[in-house]
Amino acid sequence: MARVAAGEHGIAKRGERVIVDLSRPSVARMYDYLLGGTDNYQVDRTACEDLLRLAPSTRELALVNRAFLVRAVRYLARQGVRRFLDHGSGLPTRPNVHDVAQEIDPHSEVVYIDNDPIVVGHGRMMLAEDPDTTAILDADMRHVDEIFESEEVKRLIRDSRPVAALFVSVLHCIPDDDDPWALVNRVAELLPPGSYMVISHLASDDLELSESLTRFMRETTDGQWGRVRSLTEVQRLFERLDVLETDGPVEVSSWLPDSDLAPRQKSTEWIEYGAVARVR
């Protein structure tokens, strides 16, 4: 849960125990700003400008990662997947997962998971018109068993039809102590047979840069961050999965690009490294 803000920006719904701190940057709002969104504040914009001085390719990286999410969802929907579980979904940014999936089949179902109160609030307003196929769950993605016991996710996995679990640019927010590898494996165990995972993760093999960016993000977000990991560490997330279309995780702008004109990450201070995979 976020901390109470000092001064005029503190927002709290005491009945629901929702407390929002707008005096500190939020990872979700920083990402929104980098994507050109408007659901962010000066504190988020200032943090992003500082981050861009450390890693100038970061806005480019955010854009190619979002494009990867869209391509991956469309790819799976064309394979017949009609149910999606989006972990750490972030602020609504069109096209959203349900927008992409429902272009293929209007009956596609999506459950979004996030524990940022602003994300949850925006999501519930956005999804209110279509409660039969979309929902947002206010939950910490580390609480896997609790998530799978929720009514929203029980409905999603109500039979043996495959589900695609999305972890797109979120696992680097999980500290090593909370074991993102075990988290991914546990989700895989609970999904119906033949399900899928889409994973991307901020990565760099430059140890000095990784430590610098990790330190910056931890300090900026008041500890709401895990670690920029090495390519080998990200590859470990796929050990119990069968990667599709590529030999393993790749820099995501190179994953089945729509065309030669599709956005590519040209500089590589850090990259989004990931793939689409089938659960064994």
Side-chain angles (χ1 to χ4, degrees):
M1 182 179 295
R3 293 166 176 77
V4 177
E8 62 180 351
H9 296 299
I11 300 174
K13 297 180 181 179
R14 296 293 179 184
E16 300 178 14
R17 291 193 56 76
V18 175
I19 303 172
V20 179
D21 183 353
L22 299 185
S23 70
R24 282 193 173 274
S26 149
V27 174
R29 298 194 310 264
M30 288 174 67
Y31 189 59
D32 175 74
Y33 173 67
L34 291 168
L35 290 173
T38 58
D39 294 316
N40 52 76
Y41 299 87
Q42 186 58 50
V43 66
D44 307 302
R45 297 189 283 272
T46 298
C48 284
E49 295 306 321
D50 290 341
L51 177 58
L52 286 165
R53 281 189 281 273
L54 278 175
S57 66
T58 301
R59 178 172 279 113
E60 183 181 84
L61 179 149
L63 292 168
V64 300
N65 185 71
R66 189 72 192 183
F68 166 68
L69 170 64
V70 170
R71 293 197 310 279
V73 171
R74 186 176 294 126
Y75 169 86
L76 290 172
R78 286 172 175 165
Q79 304 300 313
V81 178
R82 297 293 179 262
R83 297 174 186 172
F84 297 83
L85 185 59
D86 188 5
H87 295 80
S89 52
L91 285 158
T93 302
R94 293 191 182 277
N96 293 288
V97 171
H98 69 279
D99 297 318
V100 179
Q102 290 175 2
E103 283 180 2
I104 307 299
D105 185 335
H107 301 293
S108 296
E109 300 173 50
V110 180
V111 175
Y112 296 97
I113 299 169
D114 211 297
N115 65 347
D116 183 313
I118 293 181
V119 170
V120 173
H122 276 266
R124 286 178 176 161
M125 286 189 292
M126 179 187 72
L127 302 176
E129 296 179 0
D130 193 10
D132 292 334
T133 60
T134 56
I136 185 161
L137 182 62
D138 182 359
D140 188 320
M141 64 181 155
R142 293 171 289 189
H143 302 162
V144 175
D145 289 350
E146 183 179 312
I147 287 168
F148 275 79
E149 284 299 314
S150 69
E151 291 304 314
E152 294 89 342
V153 176
K154 281 183 176 179
R155 186 179 74 176
L156 203 68
I157 60 172
R158 60 188 176 271
D159 51 33
S160 59
R161 295 180 66 182
V163 173
L166 313 180
F167 290 94
V168 177
S169 201
V170 295
L171 291 170
H172 43 251
C173 296
I174 305 296
D176 287 352
D177 288 348
D178 290 320
D179 201 341
W181 302 276
L183 186 159
V184 166
N185 290 338
R186 181 59 178 156
V187 171
E189 290 172 358
L190 295 173
L191 291 172
S195 289
Y196 299 84
M197 284 194 170
V198 180
I199 300 171
S200 69
H201 192 300
L202 284 168
S204 175
D205 279 339
D206 182 330
L207 183 59
E208 183 177 349
L209 178 67
S210 294
E211 290 178 349
S212 174
L213 290 168
T214 293
R215 183 167 55 253
F216 172 85
M217 289 302 298
R218 282 181 182 164
E219 292 173 354
T220 297
T221 63
D222 197 22
Q224 305 302 306
W225 187 257
R227 185 162 61 85
V228 179
R229 296 186 169 96
S230 69
L231 303 188
T232 298
E233 288 175 310
V234 178
Q235 289 166 1
R236 283 178 50 207
L237 294 166
F238 295 88
E239 283 182 348
R240 300 185 187 180
L241 306 172
D242 292 325
V243 174
L244 305 177
E245 301 293 345
T246 56
D247 292 334
V250 295
E251 187 276 306
V252 297
S253 72
S254 67
W255 188 85
L256 300 188
D258 292 328
S259 73
D260 291 339
L261 300 178
R264 297 293 182 95
Q265 186 172 354
K266 299 179 178 65
S267 56
T268 55
E269 295 98 6
W270 51 355
I271 65 170
E272 286 282 359
Y273 193 53
V276 175
R278 183 181 287 112
V279 176
R280 292 175 184 164

